Amino acid sequence: MRITADRIEPDKQRDELCDDRAGAYASFEGWIRNHNDGEDVLRLEYEIYEPLALKEGQKVIEEALEKFPIFHAECVHREGMLEIGDCAVWVGVSSAHRDEAFEACRYIIDQVKVRLPIWKKEYYVDGNSGWVNCERCAIHGHEHPKVVSS
Amino acid sequence: MRITADRIEPDKQRDELCDDRAGAYASFEGWIRNHNDGEDVLRLEYEIYEPLALKEGQKVIEEALEKFPIFHAECVHREGMLEIGDCAVWVGVSSAHRDEAFEACRYIIDQVKVRLPIWKKEYYVDGNSGWVNCERCAIHGHEHPKVVSS
Amino acid sequence: MNKKLTILYFASFREHAGTGEESVELDVGTAADLFEQLKHRHGSAEPLGHCKVAINDEMADWDAALSDGDVVLLFPPVAGG
Amino acid sequence: MNKKLTILYFASFREHAGTGEESVELDVGTAADLFEQLKHRHGSAEPLGHCKVAINDEMADWDAALSDGDVVLLFPPVAGG
């Protein structure tokens, strides 16, 4: 697990997962998109409590390595202010076959999104900003009053 | 769909799928691994009947674009002689959310592997070589007599 | 009995508290008690179950007992990726 | 009635036939008939269902009827990726 204030370089990350035994590589990237919940997004700020994000992220990766017969897995999360199109998070997994590469990659990003102490604040085109609600709650259909400040 | 005799460059392929509306990007790569079915593999040769591989590959991609709410999808397959560690096939998908990026990526590689007129011949460390049996048959547990020539 | 605690606020909690860190002396048993007592500070309309807590840099359960000198990290709902 | 057909062999089929292309004149109805009649050429131990056929550069079903002048592509089991 790695947290960085610099641009994530997926191709360099990928190269670190190479392995002569590996026949499959699955990766996921989260990109900053220009809209969310019907609002036009201008940029996005990630706040991360690094000591615990690293610890919990490492735990997630180790869980993936235990659960699935994969060779290598890694996750990098960006912090600070990001622009539309930037890569906020990258996950990569190499394994002998593709089933487990896909499954482990999916497992890692799912867990990272709900377990790591990471928060994002959206800055909207209309000048407002707001902290983004947790994804798990959104999935479960919970009502989260959105905290918006101008 | 693209077929190439040159090295696949995943990072360049990825950049072509960028979209301001996209929050998710999933990719898959098939790498040449040093073993298969208990045999030590030295290199691998891909034979492709290009006119139909392109046509059928394009069809697979269009099916993915119809089935899943994704923005862009692409697949590149390498032909000719490949070494251990080389990328033989790359699939990338961008979409608003990750569910459909993963699903479409998986759909494309699954279909490409069983529908496109592509064959691979493995060259083993012991000097033998053999055409690799189709994956679907392997999955279904069919008995395929392996054609091995020295 | 009062316990001396250091509270760290993150993201929306920090903005509401107007500070990222403060020291308090409170008579609280569990992390959940603390969360309730500090509601006016972090201004959370979130149910406890959507938030997380860490004690001395370890993720903890809300029913974890607090000790004098603990550093308690209050996390609003997370949203990585 | 005999039909003039051009047969293209791929991968293991080509190696067994010793050629990638040949012209034949055969009395065959469907692609499946052709596959059976040419078994000694492509040397396939594969059941028909594991192989594929294309006629004039279009993927086809094995029960497709062949016409005089057709180019028939015989594909052994594919293994992309």
Side-chain angles (χ1 to χ4, degrees):
Chain A
M1 182 75 211
R2 204 162 67 78
I3 289 164
T4 177
D6 301 322
R7 216 182 133 78
I8 295 175
E9 298 182 281
D11 49 325
K12 288 196 184 160
Q13 294 298 330
R14 164 200 183 276
D15 289 350
E16 287 178 20
L17 303 188
C18 285
D19 192 305
D20 280 357
R21 302 167 297 167
Y25 166 78
S27 82
F28 175 81
E29 295 179 31
W31 293 346
I32 307 300
R33 66 179 199 275
N34 62 8
H35 65 282
N36 192 27
D37 268 342
E39 308 236 30
D40 291 325
V41 177
L42 206 57
R43 61 180 63 88
L44 223 138
E45 188 175 7
Y46 280 92
E47 176 175 338
I48 303 185
Y49 181 60
E50 196 165 319
L52 271 186
L54 287 176
K55 206 185 281 184
E56 195 72 6
Q58 204 54 49
K59 216 165 127 189
V60 166
I61 290 169
E62 275 153 28
E63 286 166 13
L65 287 163
E66 266 172 40
K67 277 178 200 286
F68 308 100
I70 56 177
F71 295 132
H72 309 288
E74 182 57 295
C75 175
V76 183
H77 206 296
R78 181 96 181 263
E79 66 180 348
M81 194 68 86
L82 276 74
E83 306 290 325
I84 306 302
D86 281 350
C87 176
V89 60
W90 169 91
V91 178
V93 174
S94 63
S95 61
H97 302 282
R98 70 185 183 286
D99 271 344
E100 52 262 32
F102 273 109
E103 280 168 23
C105 187
R106 183 68 206 248
Y107 178 80
I108 292 169
I109 186 63
D110 285 354
Q111 296 296 313
V112 160
K113 278 183 180 253
V114 295
R115 282 167 54 181
L116 273 59
I118 299 178
W119 304 272
K120 54 188 173 193
K121 192 176 191 173
E122 289 176 338
Y123 293 82
Y124 307 112
V125 171
D126 64 11
N128 287 339
S129 63
W131 293 95
V132 178
N133 290 329
C134 74
E135 180 174 85
R136 175 168 285 168
C137 302
I139 288 167
H140 293 178
H142 295 152
E143 278 296 328
H144 272 247
K146 198 163 184 179
V147 185
V148 173
S149 54
S150 55
Chain B
M1 182 75 210
R2 204 161 67 78
I3 289 163
T4 177
D6 302 321
R7 215 183 134 78
I8 295 175
E9 299 183 280
D11 49 325
K12 287 195 184 162
Q13 295 298 330
R14 164 199 183 275
D15 290 350
E16 286 177 22
L17 303 188
C18 286
D19 191 305
D20 281 356
R21 301 165 299 168
Y25 166 78
S27 82
F28 174 80
E29 294 178 31
W31 293 345
I32 307 301
R33 65 179 200 275
N34 63 7
H35 64 282
N36 192 28
D37 268 342
E39 308 236 29
D40 291 325
V41 177
L42 206 58
R43 61 179 63 87
L44 223 138
E45 186 175 6
Y46 280 92
E47 175 176 338
I48 302 184
Y49 181 60
E50 195 166 318
L52 271 186
L54 286 176
K55 208 186 279 185
E56 195 72 6
Q58 204 54 48
K59 215 165 129 190
V60 166
I61 290 169
E62 274 153 29
E63 286 165 13
L65 287 164
E66 265 171 43
K67 278 178 197 288
F68 309 100
I70 57 177
F71 295 133
H72 309 288
E74 183 56 295
C75 175
V76 183
H77 206 296
R78 180 96 180 262
E79 65 180 348
M81 194 68 88
L82 276 74
E83 306 291 324
I84 307 301
D86 280 350
C87 176
V89 60
W90 169 91
V91 178
V93 174
S94 63
S95 60
H97 302 282
R98 71 185 181 285
D99 271 344
E100 52 262 32
F102 274 108
E103 280 168 22
C105 188
R106 183 69 207 248
Y107 178 81
I108 292 169
I109 186 62
D110 284 355
Q111 297 295 315
V112 160
K113 278 182 178 253
V114 296
R115 282 168 53 183
L116 272 59
I118 299 178
W119 303 273
K120 54 188 173 193
K121 191 176 192 174
E122 288 177 337
Y123 293 83
Y124 308 112
V125 171
D126 64 12
N128 287 340
S129 64
W131 292 97
V132 178
N133 290 329
C134 74
E135 179 173 86
R136 173 168 285 167
C137 301
I139 289 168
H140 293 179
H142 295 153
E143 279 294 331
H144 272 247
K146 199 164 184 179
V147 185
V148 173
S149 54
S150 54
Chain C
M1 203 193 67
N2 276 5
K3 293 166 185 162
K4 280 190 188 174
L5 302 166
T6 303
I7 317 295
L8 299 189
Y9 297 106
F10 293 85
S12 59
F13 285 0
R14 185 189 59 251
E15 289 190 357
H16 277 95
T19 179
E21 179 172 349
E22 64 180 353
S23 298
V24 297
E25 273 200 53
L26 289 171
D27 183 14
V28 287
T30 65
D33 295 342
L34 181 74
F35 185 86
E36 292 304 319
Q37 285 206 30
L38 293 178
K39 247 194 161 114
H40 64 287
R41 296 286 292 149
H42 55 70
S44 180
E46 304 286 349
L48 187 81
H50 294 172
C51 305
K52 292 187 201 290
V53 64
I55 302 171
N56 304 326
D57 266 359
E58 295 283 349
M59 296 304 296
D61 291 326
W62 283 111
D63 57 9
L66 296 176
S67 306
D68 196 57
D70 277 349
V71 178
V72 184
L73 293 72
L74 295 182
F75 297 148
V78 302
Chain D
M1 203 193 67
N2 276 5
K3 293 168 186 163
K4 282 190 188 173
L5 303 167
T6 302
I7 317 295
L8 300 188
Y9 297 105
F10 294 86
S12 60
F13 285 1
R14 184 188 58 250
E15 290 189 356
H16 277 94
T19 179
E21 179 172 347
E22 64 180 352
S23 298
V24 297
E25 274 200 51
L26 289 171
D27 183 15
V28 287
T30 65
D33 295 341
L34 181 73
F35 185 87
E36 293 305 319
Q37 287 206 28
L38 293 178
K39 249 196 160 112
H40 64 287
R41 296 287 292 151
H42 54 71
S44 180
E46 304 286 350
L48 187 83
H50 294 171
C51 305
K52 291 187 204 290
V53 64
I55 302 171
N56 305 325
D57 266 359
E58 295 283 349
M59 297 303 297
D61 292 325
W62 283 111
D63 58 8
L66 296 177
S67 306
D68 195 59
D70 278 348
V71 178
V72 184
L73 294 72
L74 295 182
F75 297 147
V78 302

